[in-house]
Structures are given as C-alpha cells and as structure tokens.
C-alpha cells in the first residue's frame, strides 16, 4: 500500500513539472502582484492555509493599503497577522482562529457571525464579493484537475465567485474525493510549493477530565449511529472510547485522527448511513501526516461543500445522528456560549448549531454539548449567567444533553427550574453549593412534575 502511495505522489509531482511549462507558473512574489489595494481576498483555511502566498503578500505591505482578508480559519504563526501590517491588511474573519485573535481584539480585524452552512451564500449573493482567492491545491492529475485536498468546505464557492484565482500547488496536499476538484486552467497564477501541511494532534493534549467526558459521551452512542464531531480534544476523547461500538458512520463538518483509528479498527464502516453509505462525509480535516497520507486518493472519504454537509435537511436524513460539540461556558438554564469569553472573540459560530439542530431532528438523534466543568484555575464553566457581552451559540431550546466529567444532564422537555437542578448535578463539586444558592433564590426548591 505504501509503495503505491509513493508512486502516486511521484506521478502527481511529475504532473506539476509538466505544467510548469505553462505561462501561469510564476514565483509567489509575482503571483500576489495580482492583488491590489482595497481588494477583498479569500484565504483557504485550516490545514490548507496557503502560507507561501501569505508570506509573499506580507512582503508587499509597503505598496498595499486596506486589503481585506476573509477566511474561516488560518493555521500557523502567520507573518501577515503581525501588528506592523496594520495599514495594509484587515482580517474580516468568518471564524476567529488563534492566528488572528490578537488582530481582531486590537482592531485590525473583525468577526462575521454566521453558520458554516450559509457562508457560501455570502459569495454567491455578492453580500461579500471576492476580488481574489488564494487557495492551496494538490498537483494536477493527468487530466489537469487539482484537488482542494483537506479543505473543501466553502472554498469551492469562493473559487467559483472570485474574480481572480491564485493557487499554490503542492504534491504534499492529498488528492481527496468529492467536490474539491478544480481544473488547472481556472487559475490566473500558479505557484509551486513543497511545504508540509500543518499538523495538529488533539489526542496528545487529552487530560483525565477529557477522557472521562469521552467515556460519558461514548456511553450514549448506539451501534449504527452517525457521528458529527466538533473541533478540539473532547470529540477525540469520545472517539477513543467508542471501540465497543459497531458500524458507526461519519457525517461531519470536520474530523481528525480519531476517525482514521476507528476505521482501521473496523468500528466506523458507514454501512448504515442513508446519505452516502460507505463513505466518511466531511467538509475539512486537521490532523497528522499519517492522516493526510491515509486520505490521499482514498474513496472511503467524500469531502463536500459545507452548504450541503451542514444542511439540516441532509443531516437529519441519517438516523441516530450524534452531534458532539464543545462549549466555553453554559448557564444554569442551558444557554451555550461557544465562541467568546465575554466580549473577547475567541472562535466562531461554525457548524455547531447546524448539527445540534440536525441531530435533534434525526430519528433517534442525540445533540450533545460537552465541556470540562471548571477551568484549569478552578473557575466554574457552569455559571448562573453567561458573561456580559458573550454570545449564545446554542440556545436553551436546542439543548438536549450536557456532558461533563461528572456525568450527563438531560434537559429536553424540562422547565427552567428542572434544568437548573439537572445541570447542577454535573457541575464541579467545588461550585455546587454556591450554584445551588443561586438556583434556590431564582427558582425555589419545589419541583413541579411535568405531565
């Protein structure tokens, strides 16, 4: 298997060499000259962040002003995000990743709250018209088609509606199946790139609390369930605890190495999914070099557009959908803050609500919000009220399951008083007394039965 994979990569690399004869192949410095002051530029995100092009763009800062950069997320310590480029570049972000949090916080950027399923509509309807798109693709095949690789999500739409397309072409980008193919003739400029893709390991960061939460989540997962996994360590901890399950399916906005491990164990088969049986469906992935190699030309995976993957109607078509998502804090009525710490924008809405609702409407589905009950400093993440200025991503009306290291609270159909006492049970023991006093003051102690 490994020999075939290497030969395949050599073949693709030779394809790049052949295409270098075409006039579109230029240096990164030359390619980004297509960008002008005042342009709105889409940037391919996650593990497909086009760092070579971004570095070249940063070097043009003395001659550029007010270039707007639009992206879902960018990985790596990007030069272009430094304060010295304040006058040249502005980050108008669809999801605030670690790379640009400082820029958004100090006024060099801002955040657009929007569901992942609806981002493509911004480009299509010209609500966010794009002048240029910077994307990162695989080497072209013998027919001239490149793959958007590990991130298709909204990139297909951005590439369709941008006036100009600049691509860094990389033999290290896996050729993935699905919606992400684009012909080399579509590009206004091509740049050769041989950089390794950025790697992220959530499994190496797992704490004992994460692992306990993972086991609590796994206990809710039935055989033949279809899983959605949010970003972070808790979804990976849950996957680690699902070795006992049978015939699981994956339909998710993103995934990491844990899915690969369960496929190799025979736990994930996708055999009983109603939508795309036999295939892992996703919009993007972030993981290890081993995962990227596993994806390369692997027909078990379908990387599709987020407007489809995250469509509630598509999600609910599968039965037993289990949506596993994290939170920053949850209040005693079940309101979920997942994107901000007070007024500080930490991440974004993403696809949490798309899948929480889709799972709730699925036959036998289970929408789950999971979090460690307290911060490393001992501050409770289960709070009387969401912090002033923070955003509610998932409303209390959408909440079914809340999971912490202390168990599972089931909230669906319960009134505010009942919810508060249910949530109290899974809060950190160090904070239960103070939380209970607030609950008693707000709701009293009498528990009215619900008929």
């Amino acid at each position: 298997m490994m020999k075939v994979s290497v030969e395949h990569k050599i073949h693709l690399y030779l394809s790049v060499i052949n295409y270098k004869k075409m006039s579109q192949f230029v240096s990164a410095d030359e390619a980004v000259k297509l960008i002008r002051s005042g342009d709105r530029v889409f940037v391919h995100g996650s593990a497909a962040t086009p760092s070579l092009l971004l570095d070249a763009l940063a070097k043009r800062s003395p001659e550029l002003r007010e270039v707007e950069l639009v992206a879902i997320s960018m990985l790596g310590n990007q030069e272009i995000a430094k304060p010295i480029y304040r006058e040249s570049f502005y980050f108008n972000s669809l999801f605030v990743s670690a790379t640009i949090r400082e820029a958004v916080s100090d006024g060099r950027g801002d955040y657009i709250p929007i569901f992942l399923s609806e981002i493509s509509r911004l480009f299509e309807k010209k609500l966010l018209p794009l002048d240029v798109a910077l994307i990162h693709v695989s080497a072209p095949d013998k027919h001239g088609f490149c793959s958007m690789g590990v991130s298709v999500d909204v990139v297909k739409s951005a590439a369709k509606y941008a006036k100009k397309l600049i691509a860094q072409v990389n033999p290290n980008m896996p050729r993935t199946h699905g919606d992400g193919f684009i012909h080399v003739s579509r590009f206004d400029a091509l740049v050769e790139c041989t950089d390794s893709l950025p790697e992220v390991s959530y499994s190496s960061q797992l704490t004992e609390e994460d692992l306990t939460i993972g086991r609590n989540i796994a206990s809710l997962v039935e055989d033949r369930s279809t899983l959605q996994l949010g970003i972070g360590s808790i979804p990976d901890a849950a996957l680690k605890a699902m070795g006992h399950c049978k015939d699981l399916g994956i339909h998710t906005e993103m995934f990491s190495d844990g899915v690969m491990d369960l496929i190799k164990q025979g736990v994930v088969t996708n055999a009983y999914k109603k939508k795309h049986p036999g295939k892992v469906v996703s919009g993007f992935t972030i993981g290890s070099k081993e995962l990227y190699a596993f994806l390369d030309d692997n027909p078990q995976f379908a990387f599709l557009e987020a407007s489809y993957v995250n469509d509630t109607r598509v999600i609910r078509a599968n039965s037993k959908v289990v949506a596993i998502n994290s939170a920053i804090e949850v209040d005693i009525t079940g309101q979920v803050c997942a994107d901000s710490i007070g007024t500080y924008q930490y991440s974004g809405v993403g696809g949490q609500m798309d899948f929480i609702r889709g799972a709730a409407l699925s036959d036998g589905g289970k929408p789950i919000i999971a979090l460690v009950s307290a911060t490393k400093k001992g501050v409770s993440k289960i709070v009387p009220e969401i912090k002033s200025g923070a955003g509610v991503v998932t409303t209390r009306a959408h909440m079914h399951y809340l999971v912490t290291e202390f168990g599972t609270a089931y909230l669906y159909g319960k009134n505010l008083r009942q919810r508060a006492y249910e949530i109290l049970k899974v809060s950190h023991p160090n904070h239960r007394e103070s939380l209970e006093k607030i609950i008693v003051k707000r709701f009293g102690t009498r528990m009215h039965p619900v008929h």
Side-chain angles (χ1 to χ4, degrees):
M1 179 67 74
M2 196 62 185
K3 183 179 179 182
V4 173
S5 177
V6 170
E7 289 175 347
H8 180 63
K9 284 185 176 291
I10 292 172
H11 169 74
L12 293 183
Y13 186 73
L14 291 175
S15 297
V16 172
I17 300 301
N18 291 335
Y19 275 101
K20 285 180 73 175
K21 298 175 183 178
M22 300 176 64
S23 60
Q24 298 105 311
F25 264 94
V26 294
S27 68
D29 292 341
E30 187 68 24
V32 297
K33 288 181 180 179
L34 292 172
I35 297 171
R36 300 174 180 176
S37 292
D39 277 353
R40 177 178 287 122
V41 179
F42 175 85
V43 181
H44 204 163
S46 302
T49 303
S51 297
L52 185 66
L53 294 175
L54 290 174
D55 286 344
L57 185 58
K59 287 192 291 184
R60 286 198 62 208
S61 62
E63 59 191 281
L64 292 174
R65 288 294 178 271
E66 298 182 357
V67 173
E68 180 183 324
L69 302 177
V70 175
I72 296 182
S73 65
M74 292 192 290
L75 291 186
N77 296 316
Q78 298 295 336
E79 172 71 21
I80 202 168
K82 292 181 178 179
I84 58 172
Y85 303 110
R86 175 186 296 273
E87 301 301 322
S88 300
F89 307 109
Y90 184 83
F91 295 90
N92 198 15
S93 187
L94 300 159
F95 188 96
V96 180
S97 53
T99 306
I100 63 165
R101 279 180 198 141
E102 181 185 341
V104 171
S105 179
D106 71 11
R108 292 179 288 119
D110 209 333
Y111 164 63
I112 303 171
I114 189 167
F115 299 129
L116 182 58
S117 59
E118 296 182 352
I119 291 175
S120 293
R121 192 178 302 171
L122 298 180
F123 310 142
E124 178 186 351
K125 301 297 182 183
K126 306 300 182 185
L127 297 169
L128 207 64
L130 301 175
D131 296 297
V132 183
L134 303 180
I135 68 174
H136 190 170
V137 297
S138 74
D141 63 19
K142 63 182 180 180
H143 303 291
F145 284 93
C146 301
S147 166
M148 293 173 182
V150 295
S151 172
V152 173
D153 43 67
V154 304
V155 186
K156 184 83 170 182
S157 177
K160 180 178 180 179
Y161 293 106
K163 296 173 185 174
K164 299 174 186 175
L165 280 179
I166 303 173
Q168 60 178 56
V169 182
N170 190 347
N172 291 314
M173 176 65 77
R175 179 180 182 271
T176 58
H177 291 229
D179 290 339
F181 291 111
I182 183 168
H183 197 268
V184 73
S185 62
R186 292 273 314 280
F187 300 118
D188 294 278
L190 293 168
V191 176
E192 183 182 12
C193 173
T194 56
D195 296 346
S196 297
L197 300 188
E199 299 180 59
V200 175
S201 174
Y202 297 111
S203 296
S204 64
Q205 305 166 17
L206 296 180
T207 64
E208 282 303 316
E209 290 85 359
D210 292 332
L211 293 169
T212 301
I213 292 170
R215 289 190 289 271
N216 291 342
I217 292 171
S219 69
L220 298 171
V221 178
E222 303 173 57
D223 293 346
R224 303 183 181 181
S225 292
T226 297
L227 307 180
Q228 176 261 336
L229 311 149
I231 198 165
S233 57
I234 287 177
D236 257 29
L239 290 173
K240 279 185 173 294
M242 291 184 196
H244 65 284
C245 297
K246 296 179 181 178
D247 290 316
L248 297 181
I250 305 291
H251 182 107
T252 184
E253 68 186 56
M254 67 85 61
F255 66 94
S256 53
D257 285 56
V259 166
M260 173 182 66
D261 296 337
L262 288 186
I263 290 173
K264 290 181 177 180
Q265 294 171 32
V267 173
V268 168
T269 65
N270 296 293
Y272 291 91
K273 290 168 59 183
K274 292 183 173 64
K275 304 290 285 186
H276 306 279
K279 293 183 183 293
V280 169
V281 169
S282 186
F284 68 100
T285 186
I286 306 171
S288 66
K289 187 178 294 185
E290 182 186 1
L291 175 64
Y292 301 148
F294 188 67
L295 297 174
D296 188 42
D297 205 27
N298 189 335
Q300 293 180 90
F301 295 85
F303 282 81
L304 308 179
E305 293 188 79
S307 57
Y308 173 84
V309 174
N310 285 49
D311 188 324
T312 302
R313 293 169 297 182
V314 176
I315 297 166
R316 70 181 296 186
N318 288 311
S319 59
K320 297 183 181 179
V321 174
V322 179
I324 305 166
N325 289 273
S326 302
I328 292 174
E329 62 180 7
V330 177
D331 78 5
I332 55 175
T333 71
Q335 294 188 109
V336 177
C337 174
D339 70 340
S340 55
I341 303 171
T343 57
Y344 179 74
Q345 195 62 46
Y346 184 81
S347 57
V349 172
Q352 182 173 118
M353 269 300 304
D354 295 328
F355 276 94
I356 288 292
R357 190 61 180 151
L361 296 173
S362 163
D363 184 20
K366 295 175 180 177
I368 297 170
I369 296 292
L371 79 169
V372 178
S373 64
T375 68
K376 292 178 181 179
K377 294 182 178 180
V379 178
S380 181
K381 292 185 180 181
I382 293 174
V383 295
E385 298 175 345
I386 298 294
K387 287 184 179 64
S388 176
V392 173
V393 171
T394 295
T395 75
R396 56 197 179 194
H398 291 96
M399 278 289 283
H400 287 215
Y401 294 88
L402 175 64
V403 178
T404 75
E405 71 271 34
F406 295 106
T408 299
Y410 185 64
L411 308 181
Y412 189 61
K414 291 181 168 62
N415 61 38
L416 294 178
R417 180 187 289 106
Q418 290 170 325
R419 284 165 167 261
Y421 281 103
E422 186 74 6
I423 291 171
L424 179 66
K425 296 175 185 177
V426 299
S427 65
H428 196 285
N430 291 350
H431 298 281
R432 288 180 189 171
E433 183 177 351
S434 59
L435 283 171
E436 187 169 18
K437 287 179 180 178
I438 292 167
I439 291 170
V440 170
K441 182 177 180 180
R442 181 172 175 182
F443 300 115
T445 57
R446 185 177 178 185
M447 302 293 286
H448 296 279
V450 175
H451 297 288

